[in-house]
Amino acid sequence: MPPSASAMDFFQLFVPDNMLKNMVVQTNLYARKFQERFGSDGAWADVTLAEMKAFLGYMVSTSISHCESVLSIWSGGFYSNRGLAGVMSQARFEKILKYFHVVAFRSSQAAHGLYKVQPFLDALQSSFDTAFRPSQTQVLHEPLIDEDPVFIATCTERELRKRKKRKFSLWVRQCSSTGFIIQIYVHLKEGVGPDGLDALKNKPQLHGAVARNLCRNAAGKNYIVFTGPSITSLALFEEFEKQGLSRGERREPGSAPESGAGRASVPAGVIIKRRSGEVPCPLAVEAFAAHLSYICRYDDKYSKYFISHKPNKTWQQVFWFAVSIAVNNAYILYKLSDAYHVQRYSRAQFGERLVRELLGLEDASPTP
């Protein structure tokens, strides 16, 4: 990326215009079909690409302001923002929010509950693979995507009971050197049969399914993958070894493979407590603790920048979590680029700049 690259340039490495144009088409298709079937609730004017960018910009702004409702922008209250509110009326925003779709209609091939967002997830994964080459050491874990603790602290018990629990589990494979999330895996709770999350929760089968999906593209790339104790098992390691994820001579898990060996290994995630007089902690366990600690640093720095909007539909929840991860990844690439040496934006400033560029307010600079 050139030194003059903007926040939008980095974001569009993952969410380019052709992806947004598809959302425009699908949203318009769904709006027309909905009004034909259930009757018009007011004339529908087709959404444009500029409006779709502004719509995303309003949503991303909630990751900076941490307001519970995106409609607070137009409310006139503490979270109101006249500069942003003037780009689109609240009525128009709510209309787009009502009909927003990535995939408007189920196809004959769609067999799972994420069909409405799966094309976006697939395209996002492809862009992650294209834009970034991860370090050799990586981690598998569940990112911190729970409710904002400040909001939870101010909620009444009745409000908390009314809030629906998430119907999915989200896991990632992450570069332990930069924090870049390389791969996303979503497991639905309502999945039927032996692979459903309800059937597998807190069981080795779920952890095996997570590891298999997140490591399916890791074979032959010389990766060392660290996991938490809940995911790791001897049976899973032996299965990966048979599949060629760890081949050649046996060695201590976590030790550096020979040059050109082209292996990936999943070291055992057992933390051995060091006590006076006992055998020193093995090198593999020291490495495990060091790399897993990066998860806490990433969560502390980036988890507070997830989009605050909480829709009821599962596919929309997954979509906004994925967009939040894309924005965080865009900032990580920005920090690795020459553009960061020209203008050193913090994560909050980068988010503010991205929101203004999505809304077409390029001339405004982020607040210090």
Side-chain angles (χ1 to χ4, degrees):
M1 299 293 284
S4 60
S6 65
M8 175 75 93
D9 292 330
F10 286 96
F11 177 67
Q12 292 214 298
L13 288 173
F14 309 125
V15 187
D17 276 352
N18 63 337
M19 196 181 294
L20 296 175
K21 288 176 182 177
N22 182 66
M23 296 177 194
V24 168
V25 171
Q26 295 298 316
T27 299
N28 288 331
L29 285 174
Y30 182 81
R32 296 191 205 105
K33 189 68 175 180
F34 184 93
Q35 293 197 345
E36 288 174 7
R37 184 175 180 181
F38 299 104
S40 175
D41 58 350
W44 168 254
D46 281 355
V47 65
T48 65
L49 177 61
E51 285 182 316
M52 184 58 69
K53 288 183 178 180
F55 174 74
L56 288 181
Y58 284 126
M59 289 297 193
V60 173
S61 71
T62 65
S63 67
I64 307 300
S65 63
H66 303 295
C67 57
E68 175 60 15
S69 173
V70 65
L71 300 182
S72 300
I73 293 173
W74 293 274
S75 68
F78 179 79
Y79 291 108
S80 64
N81 190 318
R82 293 183 180 180
L84 302 185
V87 175
M88 181 185 294
S89 69
Q90 179 178 342
R92 179 59 173 169
F93 174 85
E94 291 187 89
K95 208 61 149 319
I96 297 174
L97 179 62
K98 178 179 180 179
Y99 296 124
F100 173 73
H101 268 73
V102 177
V103 174
F105 307 107
R106 183 191 293 266
S107 66
S108 57
Q109 292 81 19
H112 58 83
L114 290 179
Y115 76 92
K116 287 189 175 183
V117 74
Q118 194 60 54
F120 175 77
L121 296 178
D122 292 341
L124 202 62
Q125 183 60 60
S126 178
S127 63
F128 287 172
D129 294 339
T130 302
F132 181 76
R133 189 194 318 184
S135 65
Q136 184 185 36
T137 54
Q138 299 163 23
V139 292
L140 307 183
H141 71 107
E142 285 186 277
L144 184 63
I145 57 174
D146 292 328
E147 302 280 6
D148 180 9
V150 175
F151 173 74
I152 290 297
T154 60
C155 270
T156 64
E157 290 186 9
R158 182 179 179 183
E159 290 173 329
L160 289 175
R161 285 196 302 269
K162 289 173 62 178
R163 301 185 68 78
K164 296 182 179 179
K165 293 183 178 179
R166 285 188 283 111
K167 296 182 179 180
F168 64 93
S169 175
L170 188 147
W171 306 73
V172 300
R173 177 160 57 93
Q174 187 173 22
C175 171
S176 64
S177 296
T178 62
F180 189 97
I181 288 180
I182 307 160
Q183 190 172 343
I184 302 171
Y185 173 64
V186 180
H187 206 114
L188 293 178
K189 285 185 178 181
E190 63 265 26
V192 295
D195 292 332
L197 186 59
D198 285 337
L200 300 178
K201 191 173 183 181
N202 297 325
K203 296 181 179 180
Q205 293 97 321
L206 170 60
H207 305 146
V210 168
R212 289 185 196 96
N213 280 276
L214 289 176
C215 293
R216 65 177 180 268
N217 298 325
K221 294 186 178 179
N222 205 30
Y223 293 153
I224 299 174
V225 181
F226 292 86
T227 72
S230 62
I231 297 178
T232 307
S233 70
L234 178 60
L236 183 62
F237 180 82
E238 290 175 340
E239 178 183 335
F240 281 177
E241 188 174 35
K242 290 177 182 178
Q243 295 175 359
L245 280 172
S246 178
R247 60 181 183 269
E249 80 288 352
R250 292 183 179 273
R251 65 182 187 279
E252 183 181 13
S255 61
E258 296 177 4
S259 177
R263 313 183 188 106
S265 63
V266 183
V270 180
I271 297 180
I272 301 175
K273 294 182 179 179
R274 196 199 312 248
R275 294 179 181 174
S276 176
E278 292 191 355
V279 176
C281 189
L283 177 62
V285 179
E286 294 279 8
F288 163 81
H291 287 286
L292 265 292
S293 67
Y294 189 87
I295 297 172
C296 297
R297 294 198 296 272
Y298 177 88
D299 285 342
D300 289 344
K301 188 171 184 179
Y302 293 107
S303 63
K304 63 183 178 182
Y305 293 111
F306 274 67
I307 292 171
S308 299
H309 175 68
K310 299 295 189 296
N312 289 327
K313 295 181 179 179
T314 297
W315 74 265
Q316 292 182 358
Q317 294 173 14
V318 172
F319 176 82
W320 295 119
F321 282 137
V323 171
S324 300
I325 289 172
V327 177
N328 283 340
N329 277 354
Y331 179 69
I332 290 170
L333 290 192
Y334 159 73
K335 287 196 70 175
L336 296 172
S337 74
D338 292 336
Y340 181 70
H341 300 290
V342 175
Q343 182 67 56
R344 293 176 176 264
Y345 291 137
S346 67
R347 174 60 183 85
Q349 291 173 324
F350 181 87
E352 290 176 6
R353 186 67 190 178
L354 175 61
V355 167
R356 292 186 171 277
E357 290 174 0
L358 285 168
L359 290 169
L361 303 172
E362 296 88 354
D363 56 335
S365 58
T367 57

